[in-house]
Amino acid sequence: MSRVAHPAGPRYADVLPADHPPAPPADLNALDLAIWPQTAARDTTSGALTLGGLDVRDLAERFGTPVFVADEADVRGRCREYMEAFGEGVNVCYAAKAFCSRAVLRWVTEEGLGVDVCTGGELEVALTAGVLPERVTMHGNNKLLAEIERAVTAGVGHIVVDSFEEIARVAFVAEQTGTRPKVLVRVTTGVEAHTHEFMATAHDDQKFGFSLASGSADEAVRRVLALPGLEFVGLHSHIGSQIFDTAGFEVAAHRVVELASRIYHTHGVAISELDLGGGFGIAYTTEDDPPDVRSLAKSLRTIVSAQCSAAGLPEPTLTIEPGRGIIGPSTVTLYEVGTIKDVDGLRTYVSVDGGMSDNVRTALYDASYTCVLASRTSAAPPMLSRVVGRHCESGDIVVRHCYLPSDLAPGDLLAVAATGAYCWSLASNYNHLPRPGVVAVRDGEAREIVRRETLDDLLSLDVG
Ligand SMILES: Cc1ncc(COP(=O)(O)O)c(C=O)c1O
């Protein structure tokens, strides 16, 4: 039985992983608010799931299925939680790669967050949403020259440089445009962290950043400092995803602060900013128990203070970049059940009207999800189920193990929780399925913030 390690969990390999379905929950209709959006509830009469005060049956009828439903109050609440927990002087930036739409970027910036983008496309969404350019940080391991030009001329707050070529390109663009962009140097610390585990190696075998171990990071800083057109402000490190334990951050911060100390002693420059990236974990199932944001914030701040004071360095301004932690739990995917197939008395395969084109995380990372019957409650006994999509792949699994009521029927609606991060943003048109829309709900009002694609949209691209 093989499971291939992957940054976001074991990868679904060519061999099916061992099946260890969890025990059925005590109540199939219950909604654990550690997993579901803050406004999720059951209608007291029909038992249907409600989000933002709206019945999902009405949402499905009005907007169709599959559809992502984003709870605006939940997103704003999490932004406030991060802002309050990290407090004055810490810069919280939403990592737009998790989910990037104008409405969401407006919500997060209205709550005081900055925005991280990693392509010209994400940058355009931010700029056209009205995000102040100085609140935008531009990432990416291969930014195109045109993207650097756009970022620099728009006046983004920071550019995170990721290669020697890019240092030269940003300096060239700065000279051409008469600007002096603020630059962070992304370093790879050899630390990889996921959930409770982290690995600290002496080498960095990955495409992002400048290796600390090889001395590339020192050289990158030297080159940036030698270019008067660039303003060197500090260092950036991102160590992983879905992290529950701060031990990995401690090792990474220690290594980054060692570099900061060398910079200080070699060049007489103290870094003014330290960006520790994102990766803070959320609960997808009842087995996940992420630390609360307040204790996470306290640990990270303590780690940075302790490392800087041990190195005799002034404390830089800390930046963090949560993506999943802000948007992940806010969103639910609604699907309609199409077929129900009992396989050899092993389990029941429940096919829905979406699949790996709207949520590839299960196929890609063996991710776990929680789902419930959403259009009603049921007192029927639990049935061990696998929720699958309608793509031409046997790995097209949305929820590997879940218990659904045994009276489930075609036409019922299922809701899958915590699909806000890396689902729509990784969506594809595999098998020519149009991508679902995203509907925002708040105080009994719903509006589409990303339009559902149509088959005509797809056909219009086929110009041969
Ligand atoms: C540089 C950087 N910052 C932030 C994030 C956001 O991570 P998460 O959504 O897990 O918080 C990522 C994710 O890959 C990243 O690469």
Side-chain angles (χ1 to χ4, degrees):
M1 200 54 53
S2 111
R3 277 183 171 221
V4 181
H6 185 276
R11 188 183 341 204
Y12 177 72
D14 50 352
V15 181
L16 282 174
D19 275 338
H20 296 297
D27 177 0
L28 283 185
N29 303 306
L31 301 167
D32 180 348
L33 288 189
I35 298 167
W36 292 89
Q38 290 311 297
T39 67
R42 290 275 185 192
D43 182 81
T44 45
T45 325
S46 66
L49 173 67
T50 63
L51 296 163
L54 293 161
D55 188 317
V56 293
R57 294 170 303 178
D58 298 334
L59 292 172
E61 196 173 320
R62 182 166 157 205
F63 299 104
T65 56
V67 64
F68 290 95
V69 183
D71 179 350
E72 181 177 341
D74 187 284
V75 177
R76 289 183 182 273
R78 282 175 212 279
C79 291
R80 282 178 213 146
E81 198 182 3
Y82 268 92
M83 293 295 287
E84 281 161 26
F86 279 90
E88 288 281 299
V90 177
N91 190 19
V92 183
C93 278
Y94 170 64
K97 69 193 72 176
F99 176 71
C100 186
S101 85
R102 292 187 183 116
V104 166
L105 298 191
R106 280 190 209 108
W107 302 343
V108 302
T109 49
E110 280 163 15
E111 297 300 337
L113 277 67
V115 174
D116 267 16
V117 298
C118 62
T119 62
E122 289 180 1
L123 175 62
E124 282 321 311
V125 177
L127 295 176
T128 57
V131 176
L132 293 176
E134 61 266 31
R135 299 291 290 141
V136 175
T137 298
M138 181 79 185
H139 281 272
N141 69 303
N142 183 16
K143 303 172 192 71
L144 308 180
L145 190 61
E147 292 175 327
I148 297 171
E149 279 163 0
R150 176 72 173 128
V152 168
T153 52
V156 300
H158 295 86
I159 298 190
V160 182
V161 291
D162 201 281
S163 65
F164 291 121
E165 289 87 352
E166 193 176 280
I167 293 173
R169 283 178 202 145
V170 178
F172 169 76
V173 172
E175 195 185 328
Q176 296 291 302
T177 53
T179 52
R180 189 162 185 255
K182 283 188 183 160
V183 164
L184 289 163
V185 172
R186 178 161 178 173
V187 302
T188 36
T189 56
V191 175
E192 244 196 70
H194 314 289
T195 314
H196 295 292
E197 282 115 45
F198 82 93
M199 220 172 63
T201 62
H203 58 84
D204 313 291
D205 185 6
Q206 62 147 307
K207 70 171 184 170
F208 290 110
F210 293 96
S211 158
L212 271 178
S214 71
S216 297
D218 295 70
E219 174 59 13
V221 173
R222 191 191 67 72
R223 290 196 197 181
V224 171
L225 285 171
L227 290 161
L230 304 182
E231 184 183 348
F232 171 71
V233 291
L235 302 170
H236 177 285
S237 143
H238 172 80
I239 58 170
S241 56
Q242 189 56 359
I243 303 168
F244 287 5
D245 195 313
T246 52
F249 284 106
E250 186 154 10
V251 178
H254 177 70
R255 292 180 176 183
V256 175
V257 171
E258 272 180 351
L259 170 61
S261 175
R262 284 199 299 280
I263 295 168
Y264 186 65
H265 290 109
T266 314
H267 305 286
V269 173
I271 61 165
S272 55
E273 299 188 30
L274 173 59
D275 187 330
L276 286 182
F280 314 116
I282 62 165
Y284 285 98
T285 71
T286 48
E287 290 183 9
D288 295 330
D289 188 18
D292 73 278
V293 177
R294 210 163 281 279
S295 50
L296 179 80
K298 195 165 164 227
S299 304
L300 284 196
R301 294 191 70 147
T302 310
I303 289 166
V304 172
S305 294
Q307 300 292 346
C308 290
S309 97
L313 289 178
E315 228 179 280
T317 301
L318 177 63
T319 296
I320 53 148
E321 305 174 331
R324 185 191 319 262
I326 298 290
I327 197 74
S330 71
T331 301
V332 161
T333 313
L334 289 181
Y335 299 101
E336 186 177 294
V337 174
T339 64
I340 300 173
K341 197 182 280 180
D342 184 51
V343 176
D344 278 348
L346 279 176
R347 79 182 82 248
T348 301
Y349 279 77
V350 176
S351 294
V352 294
D353 51 357
M356 65 193 300
S357 56
D358 59 72
N359 187 351
V360 76
R361 293 191 64 257
T362 308
L364 198 58
Y365 308 135
D366 196 21
S368 300
Y369 282 96
T370 300
C371 77
V372 295
L373 169 58
S375 39
R376 59 188 171 92
T377 44
S378 166
M383 161 177 94
L384 179 61
S385 308
R386 175 163 291 169
V387 179
V388 296
R390 64 194 196 94
H391 292 280
C392 225
E393 291 282 336
S394 52
D396 174 24
I397 297 170
V398 180
V399 186
R400 185 173 301 285
H401 304 297
C402 60
Y403 287 89
L404 290 165
S406 53
D407 64 352
L408 191 76
D412 276 332
L413 293 177
L414 289 189
V416 178
T419 57
Y422 307 107
C423 289
W424 191 89
S425 56
L426 283 169
S428 74
N429 293 119
Y430 181 43
N431 294 144
H432 264 66
L433 249 62
R435 287 176 298 174
V438 183
V439 170
V441 292
R442 179 184 174 176
D443 299 332
E445 303 278 338
R447 69 185 171 107
E448 210 169 31
I449 57 170
V450 178
R451 175 174 70 73
R452 164 184 299 284
E453 272 175 350
T454 63
L455 197 50
D456 281 344
D457 288 330
L458 301 193
L459 292 175
S460 71
L461 297 172
D462 188 337
V463 291

